[in-house]
Structures are given as structure tokens and as C-alpha cells.
Amino acid sequence: MRVVMFGYQTWGHRTLQALLDSEHDVVLVVTHPKSEHAYEKIWSDSVADLAEDNGIPVLLRNRPDDDELFEALKSADPDIIVANNWRTWIPPHLFNLPRRGTLNIHDSLLPKYAGFSPLIWALINGEPEVGVTAHMMNDELDAGDIVRQEAVPVGPTDTATDLFHKTVDLIAPVTIGALDLIASGKTEFTKQDRSQASFFHKRSDEDSRIDWNWPAEDLERLVRAQSEPYPSAYTFHKGKRLEILAAVVSEGRYGGTPGRIFYREGEGVAIVAGADARSGRNHGLAITRVRTEDGRELAATEYFTAMGGYLTSRP
């Protein structure tokens, strides 16, 4: 099939490479200009460079809403558009233009975790698995019929970076498998159960801030979800920002005020956590590694030279 590719960053790059390695013919690539947004600089393999290296015409757009792009798409005469990590709305007159419509590749197990940063949100929320979904695009974001979907389990120590590497390897089989089904003439696919749908917004600095009223289990997943190279989870100590680079749920149970720097436990320092922490039934969060406001990385036991005091959600 003749394919127009809409994509950006490493997800788009992997999709384009999968298409180049397949029997399908990529006739045009549309991608975004480089961004300085913290999350968009992380996995930043260039879709434009890969396309140009393979002699494929490239158009750079923040939004696909101009007449020049529409005319270029018509001239490309695609059988299908394949989109992966396209960051803005594609209007119906574009996604309905190809003979076979538009196939979107999304890094979650739809209908759950539509929208942005699904791997991070899924890890924070304790989901047992994550995955990749290829679905037909319609008027509602990430809501079209599912053509192919594959999942991988979330391990007990997996970080968001680990999950990225697990799911990015699913892009080629999910994308090409879905295209092959469409090319075979199949037109009926799996409807999404919209009663199970959830939608998540783009992550921001505020979403990495630690709230010590959360249970320690949730905070431990937040720290893993904000692993390098993502912006780290953070708190405040004596009015200064302190990034939490590594932590585990404490073995002991600690009662008192959430955020209290309480007890040295093994290689970590236990912090009281949880809205009902005063009962003494809660596990704490044992912080093992931190980064200070001036960029120093330290073992928590080296940073916290004395117990007592508080970590706070605000300076």
C-alpha cells in the first residue's frame, strides 16, 4: 500500500523504520519541528532525518491545517495514513482522505490511557501490563476500532524507561500486522468499550511533585515512573527542592505526620507517608538516593545526616 506517515520522536522514527522494512511504500512523511518541551526532548530520534536519508519528501508542521499540506496529501495519493506520536489533532478531511483511512498507533492498551504519557500514568496507577494499540482514526481522540493490540507485563521494579523499551519493540509487529490485515481487505475490527475509556493529559512539572499524603506504594511507583531520563519526582527539604532518584517501600511501619524524616532503614531513610499515617499501620517510603538543588547526587544516608524534620510538598 501507498503510505503517508505522520509521526514524531522515537515512536515515529521506529514506525517509519518498520514501514521502510516492509513491503509498503512510504510516499510522504509529515513530522513536527523540534520542541524544547522537557518531555519531548527525551526520546528525540529524528523522523525527518530518517525520511530524507531514504529519499522520502518531508513536510514540517505543528498543526496539519493548511491548504499546502492538504494538496500535498492529495498528490501523494495514499492508500492509508499511519500516525504515531502525532501531537496535535488531525482533522477529518485529512484522516478520511486515504482510500483505507488512517491508522493510529498508540502506546497504551486502549480504551484505557488515551491521550498523553500513558506509560508513566499506567505505572503510577499500578497497572499490571502496558502495550501498544493500532486503531482506525475517527472523530474522537484514540477511540477508533482496534485493528491489533499487544501487551507486555509491568515488573515489580520496572521504571518508565524500562516500559518504554519494552513497548517500543512492539511498534513494528503491531503496525505492520495491522497494515497487513487492512491490505488483505479486512474492514471490520474490534469496537472499543467506551465505558472502560480513560484519558490523560500531558505531564508537567506539577505532576512530578510528591504529596506525602499518598501511600508509600504509590510514591514508590511515582519515583520509578519519573526515572531518568524523565524529570525526577521531587519534594522540598528546608525550603529547597530535593529530587528523589530512588526509593523503596519500607520494611517497617511508621506512624506520625506525613513527610516526617523518621528512621534510618538499611541503605535508605524512611519517611512517613499516607493520609492515615497517624495510625502507625503504614509502611513508609525509604529513600535511597537524592539529587540536591545544586545538582549533587547523593545516597540518602549521606544527605540526611540526622533524623527529624520534614519533607514537604511545597517550599
Side-chain angles (χ1 to χ4, degrees), residues 64 67 72 90 116 125-126 131 146 168 179 210-211 235 247 265 268 298 312 315:
D67 292 340
I90 299 176
F116 296 89
N125 290 333
I146 294 171
V168 79
L179 284 178
I210 289 175
D211 181 345
T235 185
E265 183 182 286
L298 301 167
T312 59

Side-chain angles (χ1 to χ4, degrees), residues 73-95:
L73 286 175
K74 286 200 298 183
S75 297
D77 190 31
D79 293 300
I80 195 165
I81 291 173
V82 174
N84 191 347
N85 202 32
W86 182 261
R87 312 299 279 175
T88 57
W89 184 59
I90 299 176
H93 73 280
L94 293 189
F95 70 69

